[in-house]
Amino acid sequence: METTNIDRTTEPVDPTDPYVRMAQTFPVLTAEQIERAKSLGQEEPLSKGTILFERGERSVDFFIVLQGNIEIYEHRQHGVNVFTVHGEHQFTGEIDLFNSRQILVGGRMGEDGSVLRFDRQQFRKLIAAEPDIGEIVMRAFILRRMGLISYEQGAVALIATKESADKLRIERFLRRNGYPLEILSYDAACQETAFLQNVDLKEEQLPVVYIYRGEQLLYNPSNLELAEQLGLVEVLLPDHVYDVAIVGGGPAGLSAAVYAASEALDTVLIEAEAPGGQAGTSSKIENYLGFPTGISGQALAGRAQVQAQKFGATIALPFLVNKIDCESHPFTLTLDNQTQIHTRAIVIASGARYRTLNFEHPFDNAGVYYAATAMEGSFCQNEPVIVVGGGNSAGQAAVFLSRHASHVHLLVRGDDLKATMSDYLISRIVASDRITLHTQTEITDLQGDRHLEHVIWHDQRTDTTETQTIRHVFLMIGAVPNTGWLQNCLTLDEKGFICTGIQLIDRQDWTLEQHPMVLETSVPGIFAAGDVRSGSVKRVASAVGEGAIIISQVHQFLSEQTAES
C-alpha cells in the first residue's frame, strides 16, 4: 500500500501546549537565519564567566549564541540564582530591549564560546530587515516577560499588611507596568528574609519595597520614586525637539504612538501611571474587533506598548503634565518633576477618569476601587461586593467579579440598563444568579475605620434605606475629562471636554481661513483623540481609530510647517 508523507509544518499548532509555549519562549534560530543575522552583528569569542550585562544597566546589547551558552541570573536573598541557560543559536533579551529602562536580570557566559553581538541600532536594523527573525524575537520577548512575572524572577518584594491602601497602589502600579513582583506578609518577611532580620522594620513603616540586589528598602515610595529607583523612567533629553508628543497612554494615545513611530515620526508618549487608561482596568473586552473570545484591557495595552516601542516610540512614565505652552512653537510641555518636553505637534489623549463619591472618607484603595482586574478580584474572594454604574465598564466588572465574589450587587440610578450597556452584557447579568440588579438605587454613605466595613444605600422605588456589611465597592459612574492642566489653552465644551474640528466653527472659535482638521483643536498643531474629546464615542475601537486618523493630520500639519519655513 502506498503511503503519503505529511508535511507537519503546515498543521496548526496549539499555543497553549506547554511544549509549543516553551519552544516559542526559547526558540532556536536556523543556520540560515544565523547567516543572515551575521551581516548585521559582530562575532566575538568570549570566555566562561564573562559578564555580558547586569541588572540595572540600560540599553544593553542583544546576543545570539554561536557556541557555548549564556546563563541568565538574578540576585536573591541567598545569592545569585541562574534560572535560564541559552544554548547554541538561541538569543538573549526580553521586552526591555525595546526601550532604555533598566534591565531586570544579568547575563554571563556559562562556558567558553562565541556570540553574535548587536548594539541597539544594529538590533533594530535586524528586526526591521529580517521580519521572520523579528517575529520570533518579538514573541519570545513578550513570553519571557510573562514568565518573569509568573515565576517572580527579577522581582522586587512588596512587604505590607493585607488591607493597606498604599500596598494596593504600589501593587497596581507595578503589575500594570509589567514589573515582576513578590508579595510578602510583614510577619513572614521578617522571619524568612535574612536581610530584614537585621533591620528594625516596624509595622507602621509599611508598605516597604525590598530590592534584592543591593538589599535596598523603599519606605512607602510614591509611584515616581519607585519608578526612578527601579529604572522604569526613560531618559528625556532637555533640549531635544520631538515631532509629536502624545499626552495619555489609553487606547487613543497608544494607537497614535504606534502609527506615529511606524511612520518615522520622533515620538514620545507621556503617561501618569501605566499604559491602558480606563480600558486597561477592564477585566475583559469582548466587543473589540478581532478578539472573538475577548481580551483583557491590560493585555491589549501591553501589546500596544511593546508595538509602539518596537517602532521606536519613547514611553515616559509616570509623569503628569502640569503645564502647556501653546503660544510658542515648538510647543513646550512641563512635567510634574519640572522636566520640559519640546515638540512640533501635540496629541492630547489624556482621557477621562471615573467620578468619585462625595463622602467624608472615600476609602480609596481601602474598599473603594475604580478597576476590576484579577488583582482586585483576589481581594474580594467569597465576599459580597457592590458595583456602581450602568455602562459597559460596570457590566464587565459585575460579570467578572461574579466569578470571585459570593454575590454582586449592581446599583444604577436609572430604570434599566438598555440605554447605557451593550446587550450581551445585560443578558449575562440577567442570567446570573450571582448578580442582583438594583435600579433607582444609590449609595448614601460609606462607613468604616481604616477600611470600608458598611455601605448604606437608598432604593427610590420603595423609599427604603438599607445598611449592608460589604467591604468592597467598585465605582464606574461616569467620566470627568482630564483637562485641568490645559489652563485655558484650548476651547472646551460646557463639561470640560476638548472641542475639535467643526465644533470650533460652530462656536466661531476658529479664526484661520483654512478650516480645522477633524481632530484639530483651537490651536493649530494640537490635536485631541479619545474620551477627552467632546462628542467622542466611548468605545475602545473608536479611540484606537481616532489615534490612527490623528497621525495623518499631524503629518499634514508638519508638512505645512516645513513648507512655510
PDB file of all heavy atoms in Angstrom, residues 1 12 66 81 98 167 226 238 332 351 381-382 385 393 522 550-551 556:
ATOM      1  N   MET A   1       0.848  -1.197   0.000  1.00  0.00           N
ATOM      2  CA  MET A   1       0.000   0.000   0.000  1.00  0.00           C
ATOM      3  C   MET A   1       0.874   1.234   0.000  1.00  0.00           C
ATOM      4  O   MET A   1       1.855   1.328   0.737  1.00  0.00           O
ATOM      5  CB  MET A   1      -0.910  -0.026   1.245  1.00  0.00           C
ATOM      6  CG  MET A   1      -1.886   1.134   1.277  1.00  0.00           C
ATOM      7  SD  MET A   1      -3.038   1.005   2.683  1.00  0.00           S
ATOM      8  CE  MET A   1      -1.888   1.188   4.044  1.00  0.00           C
ATOM      9  N   PRO A  12      -1.798  23.232  12.025  1.00  0.00           N
ATOM     10  CA  PRO A  12      -1.882  24.258  13.066  1.00  0.00           C
ATOM     11  C   PRO A  12      -1.315  23.742  14.381  1.00  0.00           C
ATOM     12  O   PRO A  12      -1.381  22.553  14.683  1.00  0.00           O
ATOM     13  CB  PRO A  12      -3.393  24.526  13.176  1.00  0.00           C
ATOM     14  CG  PRO A  12      -4.043  23.279  12.663  1.00  0.00           C
ATOM     15  CD  PRO A  12      -3.127  22.752  11.584  1.00  0.00           C
ATOM     16  N   LEU A  66      26.543  31.546  19.353  1.00  0.00           N
ATOM     17  CA  LEU A  66      27.076  30.733  18.259  1.00  0.00           C
ATOM     18  C   LEU A  66      27.667  29.437  18.787  1.00  0.00           C
ATOM     19  O   LEU A  66      27.426  28.359  18.231  1.00  0.00           O
ATOM     20  CB  LEU A  66      28.134  31.531  17.479  1.00  0.00           C
ATOM     21  CG  LEU A  66      27.643  32.826  16.807  1.00  0.00           C
ATOM     22  CD1 LEU A  66      28.810  33.526  16.111  1.00  0.00           C
ATOM     23  CD2 LEU A  66      26.520  32.531  15.822  1.00  0.00           C
ATOM     24  N   ASN A  81      20.977  33.397  41.514  1.00  0.00           N
ATOM     25  CA  ASN A  81      20.182  32.259  41.052  1.00  0.00           C
ATOM     26  C   ASN A  81      20.153  32.248  39.531  1.00  0.00           C
ATOM     27  O   ASN A  81      19.623  33.167  38.905  1.00  0.00           O
ATOM     28  CB  ASN A  81      18.751  32.370  41.597  1.00  0.00           C
ATOM     29  CG  ASN A  81      17.814  31.339  40.986  1.00  0.00           C
ATOM     30  OD1 ASN A  81      18.170  30.171  40.860  1.00  0.00           O
ATOM     31  ND2 ASN A  81      16.622  31.769  40.594  1.00  0.00           N
ATOM     32  N   PHE A  98      13.503  46.884  23.871  1.00  0.00           N
ATOM     33  CA  PHE A  98      12.831  47.844  23.008  1.00  0.00           C
ATOM     34  C   PHE A  98      12.738  49.235  23.646  1.00  0.00           C
ATOM     35  O   PHE A  98      12.132  50.130  23.068  1.00  0.00           O
ATOM     36  CB  PHE A  98      11.420  47.364  22.660  1.00  0.00           C
ATOM     37  CG  PHE A  98      11.405  46.223  21.691  1.00  0.00           C
ATOM     38  CD1 PHE A  98      10.833  45.006  22.033  1.00  0.00           C
ATOM     39  CD2 PHE A  98      11.964  46.344  20.432  1.00  0.00           C
ATOM     40  CE1 PHE A  98      10.808  43.951  21.144  1.00  0.00           C
ATOM     41  CE2 PHE A  98      11.950  45.293  19.537  1.00  0.00           C
ATOM     42  CZ  PHE A  98      11.377  44.089  19.889  1.00  0.00           C
ATOM     43  N   LYS A 167      -0.374  49.767  49.769  1.00  0.00           N
ATOM     44  CA  LYS A 167       0.051  48.476  49.230  1.00  0.00           C
ATOM     45  C   LYS A 167      -0.647  48.206  47.914  1.00  0.00           C
ATOM     46  O   LYS A 167      -0.035  47.791  46.917  1.00  0.00           O
ATOM     47  CB  LYS A 167      -0.266  47.373  50.240  1.00  0.00           C
ATOM     48  CG  LYS A 167       0.094  45.954  49.769  1.00  0.00           C
ATOM     49  CD  LYS A 167      -1.145  45.157  49.383  1.00  0.00           C
ATOM     50  CE  LYS A 167      -0.805  43.717  49.081  1.00  0.00           C
ATOM     51  NZ  LYS A 167      -1.981  42.953  48.572  1.00  0.00           N
ATOM     52  N   LEU A 226       9.375  55.200  43.096  1.00  0.00           N
ATOM     53  CA  LEU A 226       9.528  53.777  42.816  1.00  0.00           C
ATOM     54  C   LEU A 226      10.030  53.560  41.396  1.00  0.00           C
ATOM     55  O   LEU A 226      10.946  52.767  41.152  1.00  0.00           O
ATOM     56  CB  LEU A 226       8.183  53.084  43.026  1.00  0.00           C
ATOM     57  CG  LEU A 226       8.139  51.560  42.907  1.00  0.00           C
ATOM     58  CD1 LEU A 226       9.053  50.912  43.925  1.00  0.00           C
ATOM     59  CD2 LEU A 226       6.704  51.064  43.084  1.00  0.00           C
ATOM     60  N   PRO A 238      16.721  67.267  27.629  1.00  0.00           N
ATOM     61  CA  PRO A 238      16.011  68.543  27.814  1.00  0.00           C
ATOM     62  C   PRO A 238      15.954  69.424  26.570  1.00  0.00           C
ATOM     63  O   PRO A 238      15.013  70.200  26.400  1.00  0.00           O
ATOM     64  CB  PRO A 238      16.809  69.229  28.936  1.00  0.00           C
ATOM     65  CG  PRO A 238      18.167  68.584  28.891  1.00  0.00           C
ATOM     66  CD  PRO A 238      17.933  67.171  28.469  1.00  0.00           C
ATOM     67  N   THR A 332       5.779  73.575  24.302  1.00  0.00           N
ATOM     68  CA  THR A 332       6.509  73.075  25.471  1.00  0.00           C
ATOM     69  C   THR A 332       5.530  72.489  26.475  1.00  0.00           C
ATOM     70  O   THR A 332       4.544  73.143  26.842  1.00  0.00           O
ATOM     71  CB  THR A 332       7.332  74.187  26.142  1.00  0.00           C
ATOM     72  OG1 THR A 332       8.280  74.721  25.210  1.00  0.00           O
ATOM     73  CG2 THR A 332       8.087  73.651  27.354  1.00  0.00           C
ATOM     74  N   GLY A 351      -7.743  61.408  28.164  1.00  0.00           N
ATOM     75  CA  GLY A 351      -8.881  60.607  28.585  1.00  0.00           C
ATOM     76  C   GLY A 351      -9.735  61.247  29.663  1.00  0.00           C
ATOM     77  O   GLY A 351      -9.789  62.469  29.826  1.00  0.00           O
ATOM     78  N   GLN A 381     -12.495  37.682  47.368  1.00  0.00           N
ATOM     79  CA  GLN A 381     -12.829  36.276  47.189  1.00  0.00           C
ATOM     80  C   GLN A 381     -13.865  35.850  48.226  1.00  0.00           C
ATOM     81  O   GLN A 381     -13.672  36.022  49.435  1.00  0.00           O
ATOM     82  CB  GLN A 381     -11.560  35.419  47.332  1.00  0.00           C
ATOM     83  CG  GLN A 381     -11.657  34.053  46.709  1.00  0.00           C
ATOM     84  CD  GLN A 381     -11.615  34.100  45.189  1.00  0.00           C
ATOM     85  OE1 GLN A 381     -11.012  34.974  44.602  1.00  0.00           O
ATOM     86  NE2 GLN A 381     -12.260  33.152  44.555  1.00  0.00           N
ATOM     87  N   ASN A 382     -14.991  35.333  47.716  1.00  0.00           N
ATOM     88  CA  ASN A 382     -16.071  34.799  48.565  1.00  0.00           C
ATOM     89  C   ASN A 382     -16.686  35.845  49.493  1.00  0.00           C
ATOM     90  O   ASN A 382     -17.241  35.509  50.543  1.00  0.00           O
ATOM     91  CB  ASN A 382     -15.561  33.608  49.394  1.00  0.00           C
ATOM     92  CG  ASN A 382     -15.079  32.470  48.514  1.00  0.00           C
ATOM     93  OD1 ASN A 382     -15.684  32.179  47.479  1.00  0.00           O
ATOM     94  ND2 ASN A 382     -13.978  31.847  48.904  1.00  0.00           N
ATOM     95  N   VAL A 385     -19.930  42.057  47.046  1.00  0.00           N
ATOM     96  CA  VAL A 385     -19.381  43.320  46.562  1.00  0.00           C
ATOM     97  C   VAL A 385     -20.492  44.141  45.919  1.00  0.00           C
ATOM     98  O   VAL A 385     -21.564  43.622  45.585  1.00  0.00           O
ATOM     99  CB  VAL A 385     -18.243  43.106  45.539  1.00  0.00           C
ATOM    100  CG1 VAL A 385     -17.143  42.231  46.122  1.00  0.00           C
ATOM    101  CG2 VAL A 385     -18.774  42.519  44.234  1.00  0.00           C
ATOM    102  N   SER A 393     -18.335  49.339  31.264  1.00  0.00           N
ATOM    103  CA  SER A 393     -17.276  49.047  32.240  1.00  0.00           C
ATOM    104  C   SER A 393     -17.865  48.424  33.496  1.00  0.00           C
ATOM    105  O   SER A 393     -17.317  47.462  34.050  1.00  0.00           O
ATOM    106  CB  SER A 393     -16.503  50.314  32.588  1.00  0.00           C
ATOM    107  OG  SER A 393     -15.803  50.803  31.478  1.00  0.00           O
ATOM    108  N   SER A 522      -8.455  74.128  18.903  1.00  0.00           N
ATOM    109  CA  SER A 522      -8.458  75.553  18.581  1.00  0.00           C
ATOM    110  C   SER A 522      -7.074  76.123  18.362  1.00  0.00           C
ATOM    111  O   SER A 522      -6.939  77.263  17.908  1.00  0.00           O
ATOM    112  CB  SER A 522      -9.179  76.336  19.692  1.00  0.00           C
ATOM    113  OG  SER A 522      -8.597  76.069  20.952  1.00  0.00           O
ATOM    114  N   ILE A 550      -5.525  60.493  13.581  1.00  0.00           N
ATOM    115  CA  ILE A 550      -4.915  61.750  14.015  1.00  0.00           C
ATOM    116  C   ILE A 550      -3.491  61.911  13.489  1.00  0.00           C
ATOM    117  O   ILE A 550      -3.030  63.030  13.239  1.00  0.00           O
ATOM    118  CB  ILE A 550      -4.963  61.838  15.560  1.00  0.00           C
ATOM    119  CG1 ILE A 550      -5.182  63.280  16.000  1.00  0.00           C
ATOM    120  CG2 ILE A 550      -3.718  61.272  16.211  1.00  0.00           C
ATOM    121  CD1 ILE A 550      -5.562  63.422  17.461  1.00  0.00           C
ATOM    122  N   ILE A 551      -2.794  60.799  13.283  1.00  0.00           N
ATOM    123  CA  ILE A 551      -1.407  60.894  12.825  1.00  0.00           C
ATOM    124  C   ILE A 551      -1.347  61.383  11.382  1.00  0.00           C
ATOM    125  O   ILE A 551      -0.423  62.117  11.006  1.00  0.00           O
ATOM    126  CB  ILE A 551      -0.675  59.551  13.010  1.00  0.00           C
ATOM    127  CG1 ILE A 551      -0.607  59.214  14.505  1.00  0.00           C
ATOM    128  CG2 ILE A 551       0.724  59.595  12.420  1.00  0.00           C
ATOM    129  CD1 ILE A 551       0.002  60.302  15.382  1.00  0.00           C
ATOM    130  N   GLN A 556       0.085  66.136   8.044  1.00  0.00           N
ATOM    131  CA  GLN A 556      -0.318  67.268   7.208  1.00  0.00           C
ATOM    132  C   GLN A 556       0.131  68.588   7.833  1.00  0.00           C
ATOM    133  O   GLN A 556       0.666  69.466   7.137  1.00  0.00           O
ATOM    134  CB  GLN A 556      -1.835  67.268   7.013  1.00  0.00           C
ATOM    135  CG  GLN A 556      -2.331  68.380   6.093  1.00  0.00           C
ATOM    136  CD  GLN A 556      -3.824  68.294   5.846  1.00  0.00           C
ATOM    137  OE1 GLN A 556      -4.413  67.217   5.941  1.00  0.00           O
ATOM    138  NE2 GLN A 556      -4.449  69.429   5.540  1.00  0.00           N
TER     139      GLN A 556
END
